[in-house]
């Protein structure tokens, strides 16, 4: 499943004070009005996330560019970041020995 579909499959947005908006599709080839809306939301690069207050103005802007962005509540955003941190956690190194198993046995 692509990242875009994974985000879109998330739970619908419940009432939250903050909305986390992520740009998941590029701006080239979009309408000028949509590009201006994304600039107003401060989304300039793909896979960047911004936090905005949940107001009717912001919801209207999101509605206009809904095919380009993904919207998450604060709980959804924190859970996703926690899962990403677990996935990128340090793992113990794999130690490979290239020495022969028994050096003394081979000399006999």
């Amino acid at each position: 499943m692509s990242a875009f579909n994974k985000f879109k499959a998330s739970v619908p947005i419940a009432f939250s004070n903050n909305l986390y908006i992520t740009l998941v599709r590029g701006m080239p080839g979009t309408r000028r009005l949509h590009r201006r809306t994304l600039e107003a939301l401060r989304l300039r690069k793909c896979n960047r996330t911004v936090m905005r207050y949940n107001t009717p103005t912001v919801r209207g802007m999101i509605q206009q560019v809904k095919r380009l962005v993904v919207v998450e509540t604060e709980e959804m955003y924190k859970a996703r970041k926690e899962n990403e941190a677990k996935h990128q956690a340090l793992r113990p190194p794999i130690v490979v020995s290239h020495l022969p198993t028994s050096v003394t046995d081979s000399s006999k």
Side-chain angles (χ1 to χ4, degrees):
M1 179 182 280
S2 71
F4 179 74
N5 291 333
K6 185 177 178 182
F7 282 133
K8 288 293 185 185
S10 297
V11 182
I13 298 187
F15 179 76
S16 177
N17 291 336
N18 300 327
L19 297 177
Y20 290 85
I21 308 160
T22 306
L23 181 64
V24 293
R25 297 231 176 148
M27 283 196 290
T30 59
R31 294 180 175 181
R32 181 179 298 155
L33 181 63
H34 293 176
R35 288 194 300 263
R36 302 267 317 258
T37 303
L38 290 172
E39 288 174 12
L41 287 170
R42 303 289 191 251
L43 288 169
R44 292 184 177 88
K45 292 186 178 181
C46 226
N47 296 323
R48 299 293 170 98
T49 303
V50 295
M51 188 277 298
R52 295 281 170 253
Y53 293 115
N54 190 0
T55 62
T57 306
V58 172
R59 286 195 304 265
M61 295 167 84
I62 292 168
Q63 182 66 28
Q64 191 171 26
V65 293
K66 65 183 175 185
R67 60 177 292 274
L68 303 172
V69 299
V70 169
V71 183
E72 297 173 303
T73 61
E74 194 165 357
E75 296 80 23
M76 293 164 58
Y77 177 76
K78 286 181 180 177
R80 181 170 62 89
K81 285 297 181 182
E82 185 177 310
N83 286 339
E84 288 176 3
K86 282 183 195 174
H87 182 71
Q88 294 178 351
L90 292 175
R91 294 178 179 87
I94 298 173
V95 179
V96 178
S97 176
H98 294 289
L99 297 174
T101 54
S102 58
V103 177
T104 56
D105 292 340
S106 63
S107 63
K108 290 184 181 179

